[in-house]
Each structure stands twice: as C-alpha cells, then as structure tokens.
Amino acid sequence: KLSRTTSLELLKLLEKRIQELETKRNAILSLVGIVLLLVAYFFLGFYLGLRGVITALKGMTEEMLSGGKSISISVDSKDELGEVSSLFNKIAQALTKSNMDLKETLVKQQRAEKDLEKRVNELQRFNQLMVGREFKMMELKKEIALLKEKTKS
C-alpha cells in the first residue's frame, strides 16, 4: 500500500512537472512565433520601403533618359536611401542644367554658322565684283593702249 501511495504521488508530481514543462514549452513557442512575426513584419516593411524608393529611382531614371524636364524624387526617409535619393536629385538637376546649357550653346553655334555663311556669301559676291572690275580695267587698259597707238600713227 505504501509503494502504491508513493507511486500515485510520484505520478501526480510527474504529471504536474510535465504540465509545467509543457506550459513553458508553449510559452517559448508562442514567444518564438511572435518574434518570427515581428521579424517578418519588419522585413516586409523594409522590403516595401526599399522597393518603393528603387521603383521611384528607376522611373525617374527612365524619365531622365527620355528627356524629361524638372526631375526630382521626394523620399521622406532619413537613412541611406534618403541620401541616395538626395544625391540622385542633385545629379538630375546638374544633368538638366548641363543639357539646357548644351542646347543653348547649340543654338548659339547654329546662329554663328548662319552669320558666318552669310558673310562668306557676301565676301564671295564682293570677290566676284572685284575680279570682274579687274578684268574690265584690263580691257580698258588694252583699249587705251590701242587708242594711243592709233593716235600716234
């Protein structure tokens, strides 16, 4: 009877201990599950934020390559992506200014080429007039020489 009573008490203690361990295990599993959910939540948030900035950069790059004007990205983050976006905006502004300066220079060069072509044409006409005048002068000199000879004879 003593061993039976001891066995029952040991069995009760063992069941109590098993139940406590199962409760601890369930608590640990719940905690691990919560931590995994938090990690997934933060990863997803980071991924979506990163993807949004990259998509914006890609779109602005394509717009810049197609000749879009006044390109700028607005990113509210103050981390490295914000810095990258800020640098992208500075590069875009510099390229836009450079492109405008280049177009302005090209227009000036085209105007200068037209002016130069106009002056070359004027000089060619002037040269033709001068050459024609010289030929006329040579003819007149020959005619004068002939008249001088006729008057001498």
Side-chain angles (χ1 to χ4, degrees), residues 4-102:
R4 186 173 170 115
T5 307
T6 308
S7 280
L8 287 174
E9 283 185 40
L10 284 175
L11 187 58
K12 284 180 188 178
L13 285 173
L14 187 58
E15 285 177 1
K16 185 179 176 184
R17 182 77 172 144
I18 288 173
Q19 190 174 9
E20 288 174 1
L21 288 174
E22 284 177 351
T23 304
K24 284 182 182 180
R25 182 196 65 195
N26 290 342
I28 290 173
L29 286 176
S30 297
L31 183 63
V32 167
I34 290 171
V35 168
L36 285 176
L37 285 174
L38 285 174
V39 167
Y41 174 76
F42 286 124
F43 176 76
L44 186 63
F46 175 75
Y47 173 75
L48 291 177
L50 182 66
R51 185 171 181 216
V53 171
I54 290 173
T55 302
L57 284 172
K58 181 181 175 190
M60 291 300 127
T61 303
E62 289 172 356
E63 186 177 334
M64 188 187 311
L65 290 174
S66 69
K69 296 180 182 176
S70 148
I71 299 166
S72 165
I73 295 178
S74 147
V75 176
D76 296 332
S77 70
K78 299 192 193 277
D79 58 358
E80 291 82 6
L81 290 176
E83 290 178 27
V84 167
S85 299
S86 174
L87 289 173
F88 180 85
N89 286 338
K90 288 179 183 177
I91 290 171
Q93 289 170 355
L95 286 174
T96 301
K97 183 183 180 312
S98 176
N99 192 20
M100 290 173 67
D101 290 346
L102 184 62

